[in-house]
Amino acid sequence: MGDTADGLSSKRTVFVTVGTTCFDALVKAMDTLEVQRELSRRGYTHLLIQMGRGTYEPAKVYLTLVEWLFASSFSAIVISCSSEFLFSEVVMLLVGKSLGEDGSVAVEYFRFSSSIADHLRSASLVISHADQELKCIMKQLEVATVKRSILEFRLVPSLQLLPSLLFHVQRREENGVKKIKGLWVMRSGSIFETLRLAKPLIVVVNEDLMDNHQSELAEELAERKHLYCAHPQTLHQVIACMDLESLLPYHSGDATPVAKLINRYLGFPED
Amino acid sequence: MLILAMEQINQTCFYLMALLTISVAIIVIRALYVLYLTGKPHRTKSPQPLSTLIVLGSGGHTAEMMNLLSVLQMDRFTPRFYIAAATDNMSLQKARVFEDSLVDKKGIKGVSAQFMQIYRSREVGQSYVTSVWTTLHATAHALWLMIRIRPQVVLCNGPGTCIPLCMIAFLFKILGIRWSSIFYVESIARVRRLSLSGFLLYKLHIADQFFVQWPQLQRKYPRAHYVGCLM
């Protein structure tokens, strides 16, 4: 196990996700030599592509799911695009695949899972996207983190799944797997979720979408140096030129100014 | 005999026309008066809790709205009515969790919150042409819901779901059924241009207070209030 851990530490994975949409231009861009050369020059060794409804199939993409999930997730750049993302499906698929395999699964690409139930059954870790109870979950996870001596463990499961999640984490540890350092779960389409997790982020703008206002947001945030913004054609340049150190952390905003104005308008006293 | 009958009809026509003209004039004057008052704050000495309609958009919109609700004093906005699109399963769930958390925090028994679903006027990606018909359908359903709710405060932040509801709230003001204050918060994703919903509510002077999250938008739409990022 220790050997693998050492081997894993040198592996740095890039996760590309297009959500439920079709974004062939991005998948194609990832499949070009230029992009892959730049990625490898920057020390990224693995590429994981979730290609949604797209029709373009990359020629050669290597990926190791277990590393991505349990070891190298900290070094991952998350390349996301502006679309809704059935995150639970994808992660369940990932987890489902990673089980019973010895650590280096070579899967070229995947779309999304067709039967959630199957993956649910086979998964030892179930993560589904649901952020409504986020604060509550975070609290519980922090408690769990202390108890189970997991260094960093942040994810966004749904509340019903939490007990089974913790059970499975525990079981993995009993089996001697101590590598669960952290797992960052993000929803594409939610740029802010990623920013809050302080992950370096490249947003690739999907030019095929009608009225794509997400690109407006991405460009603005790129201007403010919170992330990098790219088009499928310019992706390799962005990867070549980016300086992750220069990215500024994003501080979440709050709604108190709105609340103040609403209260004032309605004649409620300010406090 | 015939001439007499003709005269009778002419007279009736005249009265009908006069009546129509007068009622149109009244409605126009009333609409202008409502428009004049739109955006003018209420000044009441001891404000009562206001019945509030909260329109939940979907994913990101709902998340932003929940951020706003978490900083509003909920005892001032009572009872609360949540409306989300019928195709959106998550938003009302989020609202329920939020309302439950209020009960836990304050120990209020029998929280006065109701949850409703509405047909959506335009799905993401739907063409603007077909959205005309779906908007009409949504409007009819919205009218039925609004007659039941008659809110005093409308909180919305897009997308299209909120348009019929805001239009009806405005109509209620004109007809004197219910006076309401309409608040619209433009999504954080809108940096340079307003969304269609935002544009309509701004240009038609329907929103009493219009909030934007980026300074560029405020410069372009001076009646809007710049409030910084909600996310």
Side-chain angles (χ1 to χ4, degrees):
Chain A
M1 264 341 237
D3 289 345
T4 2
D6 289 337
L8 293 181
S9 62
S10 63
K11 277 172 186 158
R12 287 155 50 92
T13 309
V14 175
F15 179 47
V16 180
T17 162
V18 309
T20 54
T21 58
C22 162
F23 192 6
D24 277 342
L26 173 59
V27 182
K28 262 183 209 163
M30 293 311 300
D31 200 29
T32 57
L33 265 180
E34 289 130 306
V35 166
Q36 287 181 8
R37 203 180 295 138
E38 287 307 332
L39 283 175
S40 108
R41 205 175 61 78
R42 290 214 146 232
Y44 296 100
T45 54
H46 290 74
L47 188 57
L48 171 56
I49 299 181
Q50 183 266 327
M51 56 183 278
R53 268 193 278 274
T55 51
Y56 179 81
E57 300 188 347
K60 210 166 83 178
V61 182
Y62 294 107
L63 53 105
T64 42
L65 294 161
V66 174
E67 288 101 304
W68 182 75
L69 275 171
F70 296 118
S72 64
S73 59
F74 280 117
S75 63
I77 288 184
V78 180
I79 295 181
S80 146
C81 79
S82 49
S83 67
E84 284 179 34
F85 187 22
L86 290 180
F87 197 81
S88 49
E89 276 198 40
V90 174
V91 175
M92 277 173 209
L93 179 68
L94 282 170
V95 175
K97 285 253 192 229
S98 72
L99 282 182
E101 308 277 351
D102 59 352
S104 55
V105 193
V107 180
E108 297 205 319
Y109 48 82
F110 62 97
R111 291 166 189 281
F112 23 70
S113 135
S114 52
S115 58
I116 298 179
D118 287 351
H119 294 299
L120 203 61
R121 267 193 291 279
S122 63
S124 78
L125 202 56
V126 179
I127 300 116
S128 87
H129 111 252
D131 57 354
Q132 70 265 42
E133 325 95 274
L134 187 58
K135 271 184 197 156
C136 160
I137 287 164
M138 283 304 203
K139 215 172 267 169
Q140 295 198 35
L141 272 178
E142 267 153 31
V143 174
T145 306
V146 174
K147 274 191 187 158
R148 310 232 182 282
S149 69
I150 305 161
L151 288 176
E152 280 194 65
F153 204 92
R154 297 270 168 88
L155 33 80
V156 192
S158 73
L159 204 53
Q160 306 91 289
L161 294 172
L162 198 63
S164 72
L165 173 80
L166 291 177
F167 170 75
H168 286 299
V169 170
Q170 190 182 19
R171 206 176 58 180
R172 285 194 77 92
E173 292 208 337
E174 280 164 5
N175 291 345
V177 182
K178 291 274 181 197
K179 285 199 306 294
I180 307 174
K181 273 191 179 164
L183 178 54
W184 298 97
V185 174
M186 59 149 297
R187 288 173 303 137
S188 164
S190 175
I191 291 170
F192 291 98
E193 207 98 326
T194 320
L195 288 178
R196 231 169 280 141
L197 298 176
K199 282 264 136 182
L201 172 69
I202 303 175
V203 174
V204 182
V205 176
N206 189 351
E207 289 148 329
D208 303 335
L209 279 184
M210 179 181 78
D211 182 31
N212 194 349
H213 56 268
Q214 292 285 340
S215 67
E216 250 178 57
L217 177 64
E219 280 158 23
E220 178 66 28
L221 290 169
E223 222 159 88
R224 289 165 186 246
K225 290 210 160 291
H226 296 309
L227 49 79
Y228 283 98
C229 183
H231 292 261
Q233 306 84 2
T234 60
L235 187 58
H236 67 278
Q237 290 160 10
V238 171
I239 295 171
C241 305
M242 71 183 176
D243 173 18
L244 295 185
E245 301 298 307
S246 75
L247 284 179
L248 302 171
Y250 179 82
H251 301 287
S252 331
D254 77 318
T256 30
V258 187
K260 257 187 195 151
L261 286 169
I262 290 177
N263 277 323
R264 193 185 302 163
Y265 183 86
L266 294 172
F268 287 116
E270 284 180 44
D271 28 33
Chain B
M1 222 17 208
L2 197 71
I3 294 161
L4 212 73
M6 286 282 275
E7 235 166 56
Q8 194 90 41
I9 290 165
N10 267 347
Q11 214 166 11
T12 325
C13 273
F14 173 77
Y15 282 129
L16 274 176
M17 287 300 282
L19 197 72
L20 196 72
T21 317
I22 289 167
S23 40
V24 167
I26 289 172
I27 289 170
V28 167
I29 289 165
R30 171 73 186 169
L32 287 174
Y33 175 68
V34 170
L35 278 173
Y36 167 74
L37 284 183
T38 297
K40 304 251 183 325
H42 299 238
R43 292 278 172 232
T44 39
K45 276 274 145 61
S46 55
Q48 299 293 307
L50 302 169
S51 69
T52 305
L53 168 65
I54 298 149
V55 190
L56 300 172
S58 57
H61 294 276
T62 302
E64 284 179 40
M65 181 59 82
M66 297 323 285
N67 274 2
L68 171 58
L69 293 183
S70 65
V71 294
L72 282 175
Q73 292 92 331
M74 277 303 144
D75 48 324
R76 295 173 175 179
F77 300 91
T78 313
R80 290 177 292 283
F81 302 89
Y82 293 89
I83 289 191
T87 49
D88 174 11
N89 303 318
M90 295 301 292
S91 291
L92 287 183
Q93 185 61 34
K94 285 182 196 181
R96 282 202 182 91
V97 170
F98 172 73
E99 287 292 338
D100 288 347
S101 76
L102 286 182
V103 178
D104 292 343
K105 210 160 40 186
K106 301 231 173 92
I108 312 160
K109 276 170 205 154
V111 174
S112 44
Q114 283 187 47
F115 307 90
M116 298 159 181
Q117 290 192 311
I118 191 174
Y119 295 108
R120 223 157 137 163
S121 45
R122 186 173 159 267
E123 292 297 331
V124 175
Q126 192 186 335
S127 84
Y128 288 114
V129 182
T130 55
S131 66
V132 171
W133 160 246
T134 44
T135 304
L136 282 177
H137 184 219
T139 308
H141 187 233
L143 188 64
W144 164 239
L145 288 179
M146 285 295 277
I147 289 170
R148 281 164 56 199
I149 300 170
R150 293 195 306 282
Q152 292 165 295
V153 173
V154 180
L155 296 178
C156 55
N157 61 347
T161 329
C162 67
I163 291 294
L165 296 166
C166 289
M167 296 281 190
I168 293 161
F170 192 74
L171 188 74
F172 282 7
K173 281 182 177 182
I174 293 174
L175 299 178
I177 295 172
R178 171 72 91 186
W179 192 268
S180 59
S181 305
I182 301 171
F183 299 99
Y184 183 87
V185 189
E186 185 57 286
S187 157
I188 195 167
R190 301 294 177 160
V191 181
R192 289 191 289 268
R193 286 173 304 136
L194 291 181
S195 63
L196 183 63
S197 325
F199 186 80
L200 285 174
L201 293 181
Y202 183 90
K203 284 289 172 191
L204 298 175
H205 289 69
I206 287 175
D208 286 279
Q209 297 261 283
F210 194 96
F211 305 106
V212 293
Q213 303 191 41
W214 297 100
Q216 296 95 309
L217 271 182
Q218 204 270 332
R219 283 198 287 275
K220 217 163 149 188
Y221 301 94
R223 276 187 287 117
H225 297 269
Y226 166 62
V227 288
C229 294
L230 261 66
M231 294 295 280

